[in-house]
């Protein structure tokens, strides 16, 4: 049990929507170590009151940012600039690029909104630095630089898209200031930890590599029934950087006499585009099943009741994929592009690494 009574967790949207499924595993451990857990989602993508269930120890607080036009109204009603954002605005010439400007505005708005919520939160729930930790599940935590939070111990987890500036057109607002203001940084890979030291000058004592993981307890996938067939699975949201269409290109290059069954678990903004690409090209030997979004329980059942020769991940960018950890936990080897921290889990003993720029024949 932690010496702190409670913890305030800032998520992107959990418990709303379908993302941050891996946080569910972590929440169970938080509930074992803290008397009180308060979750503050940054936004609600579904814009509905429907949310995933949590235990009685966990309280869901109001979202920090509204969606759509309401967010624009907040920009005008609560526009307040702090020095870190002013310095960032000048140093990175934010005014010269619409993408940077949008990122900067959202960061500033999030910081201001958090401050307003925090003042109410402290009074209502008797929050104080001696009893509570503040934990941001993502690196997007501009509120950590506020003087108001200086007395508190602050923790940040870094995954991938929230850390790598190259995945964000070269700009993420006030990054060095956020990392410097934190008490403890929890990168999910050694790759991120190394860059925190080298690129941001963060002291090693503040960095603790904290791999994610799966709660699966030594299970395995089903036995193979058709030795002549090749069974493939993949699991991810479907959008551009995941390059799901490349999996189909790879399978088309396999000997046409081999029967191939490919299951993809996950949904996303480009799912219909990928389906159109797959279904317009007749391939008699390839059977494709798009299973859509599955929760953690459903995904585990899918791995336990099916057999797979390979798990494939061809993403252009990654942090260190829990999807590969989940596949490994069922004894499924992986083929994966060598990006981010992928090489910290995939090697020639448990799979095969490809170059980022995948050669289909390879």
């Amino acid at each position: 049990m932690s010496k702190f009574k409670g913890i305030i967790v800032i998520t992107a949207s959990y418990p709303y929507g379908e993302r941050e499924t891996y946080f569910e595993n972590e929440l169970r451990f938080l509930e074992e170590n803290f008397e009180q857990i308060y979750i503050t989602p940054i936004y609600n993508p579904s814009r509905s009151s429907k949310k995933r269930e949590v235990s009685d120890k966990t309280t869901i607080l109001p979202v920090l940012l509204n969606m759509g036009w309401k967010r624009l109204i907040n920009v005008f009603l609560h526009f307040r600039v702090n020095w870190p954002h002013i310095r960032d605005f000048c140093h990175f010439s934010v005014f010269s690029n619409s993408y940077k400007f949008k990122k900067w505005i959202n960061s500033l708005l999030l910081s201001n909104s958090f401050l307003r919520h925090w003042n109410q939160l402290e009074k209502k729930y008797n929050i104080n630095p001696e009893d509570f930790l503040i934990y941001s599940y993502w690196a997007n935590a501009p509120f950590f630089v506020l003087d108001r939070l200086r007395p508190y111990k602050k923790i940040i987890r870094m995954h991938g898209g929230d850390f790598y500036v190259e995945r964000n057109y070269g700009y993420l607002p006030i990054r060095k200031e956020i990392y410097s203001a934190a008490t403890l940084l929890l990168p999910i890979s050694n790759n991120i930890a190394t860059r925190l030291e080298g690129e941001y000058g963060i002291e090693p004592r503040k960095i603790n590599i904290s791999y994610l993981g799966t709660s699966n307890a030594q299970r395995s996938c089903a036995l193979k029934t058709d030795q002549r067939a090749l069974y493939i699975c993949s699991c991810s949201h479907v959008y551009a950087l995941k390059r799901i269409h490349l999996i189909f290109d790879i399978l088309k290059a396999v000997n046409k006499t081999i029967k191939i069954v490919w299951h993809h678990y996950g949904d996303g903004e480009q799912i219909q585009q990928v389906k159109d690409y797959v279904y317009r090209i007749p391939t008699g030997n390839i059977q494709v099943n798009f299973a859509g979004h599955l929760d953690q329980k459903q995904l585990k059942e899918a791995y336990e009741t099916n057999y797979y020769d390979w798990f494939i991940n061809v993403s252009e960018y990654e942090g260190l994929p829990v999807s590969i950890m989940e596949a490994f936990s069922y004894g499924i080897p992986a083929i994966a592009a060598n990006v981010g921290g992928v090489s910290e889990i995939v090697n020639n003993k448990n799979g095969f690494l490809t170059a980022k720029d995948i050669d289909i024949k390879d």
Side-chain angles (χ1 to χ4, degrees), residues 121-176:
L121 182 66
E122 276 190 320
K123 295 176 183 177
K124 184 174 182 179
Y125 296 103
N126 193 28
I127 305 296
N128 60 76
E130 290 73 34
D131 294 327
F132 285 85
L133 290 171
I134 307 175
Y135 171 37
S136 178
Y137 190 64
W138 301 91
N140 182 30
F143 35 82
F144 273 18
V145 307
L146 298 173
D147 289 338
R148 190 76 173 74
L149 296 186
R150 193 181 297 275
Y152 287 87
K153 302 255 186 235
K154 301 177 286 293
I155 303 166
I156 300 175
R157 183 181 287 285
M158 284 138 289
H159 298 254
D162 57 332
F163 173 79
Y164 295 111
V165 292
E166 59 268 31
R167 289 178 59 173
N168 293 274
Y169 301 97
Y171 179 67
L172 286 168
I174 62 171
R175 268 318 109 139
K176 186 169 184 178

Side-chain angles (χ1 to χ4, degrees), residues 39-262:
I39 296 179
T40 303
I42 292 176
Y43 67 102
N44 177 358
S46 60
R47 305 190 192 190
S48 75
S49 59
K50 183 180 178 181
K51 53 181 180 281
R52 284 164 279 188
E53 292 183 5
V54 296
S55 77
D56 293 338
K57 292 183 71 173
T58 299
T59 302
I60 308 301
L61 302 174
V63 297
L64 292 174
L65 294 178
N66 293 312
M67 302 289 285
W69 59 269
K70 289 184 178 179
R71 186 178 299 189
L72 292 176
I73 291 177
N74 282 335
V75 170
F76 295 104
L77 292 180
H78 306 287
F79 190 81
R80 177 182 176 184
V81 185
N82 53 58
W83 276 112
H85 278 93
I86 291 175
R87 287 194 298 267
D88 221 52
F89 189 88
C90 299
H91 181 75
F92 290 99
S93 302
V94 169
F95 53 85
S96 67
N97 182 288
S98 60
Y99 176 86
K100 289 182 180 180
F101 186 70
K102 182 179 178 181
K103 280 277 189 183
W104 186 86
I105 283 288
N106 274 324
S107 176
L108 183 63
L109 185 58
L110 176 56
S111 181
N112 291 342
S113 180
F114 183 89
L115 184 59
R116 294 198 311 277
H117 281 72
W118 185 255
N119 290 333
Q120 299 169 10
L121 182 66
E122 276 190 320
K123 295 176 183 177
K124 184 174 182 179
Y125 296 103
N126 193 28
I127 305 296
N128 60 76
E130 290 73 34
D131 294 327
F132 285 85
L133 290 171
I134 307 175
Y135 171 37
S136 178
Y137 190 64
W138 301 91
N140 182 30
F143 35 82
F144 273 18
V145 307
L146 298 173
D147 289 338
R148 190 76 173 74
L149 296 186
R150 193 181 297 275
Y152 287 87
K153 302 255 186 235
K154 301 177 286 293
I155 303 166
I156 300 175
R157 183 181 287 285
M158 284 138 289
H159 298 254
D162 57 332
F163 173 79
Y164 295 111
V165 292
E166 59 268 31
R167 289 178 59 173
N168 293 274
Y169 301 97
Y171 179 67
L172 286 168
I174 62 171
R175 268 318 109 139
K176 186 169 184 178
E177 291 85 351
I178 292 172
Y179 302 148
S180 298
T183 312
L184 179 65
L185 302 176
L186 301 176
I188 67 162
S189 72
N190 183 60
N191 183 276
I192 294 177
T194 301
R195 292 181 62 165
L196 280 169
E197 289 186 50
E199 297 177 18
Y200 294 94
I202 303 300
E203 298 176 40
R205 64 178 181 82
K206 288 181 61 172
I207 303 170
N208 182 48
I209 298 172
S210 177
Y211 289 116
L212 299 176
T214 173
S215 58
N216 178 38
Q218 296 182 337
R219 297 183 179 182
S220 61
C221 62
L223 295 175
K224 189 169 187 176
T225 55
D226 187 350
Q227 300 299 326
R228 296 168 298 177
L230 183 65
Y231 296 92
I232 302 295
C233 65
S234 53
C235 179
S236 72
H237 291 288
V238 185
Y239 54 102
L241 70 82
K242 294 297 181 180
R243 305 191 294 189
I244 303 301
H245 66 283
L246 284 182
I247 297 177
F248 187 60
D249 291 342
I250 291 168
L251 300 183
K252 285 190 300 177
V254 177
N255 190 316
K256 297 296 186 292
T257 63
I258 299 176
K259 175 187 174 183
I260 301 173
V261 180
W262 169 34

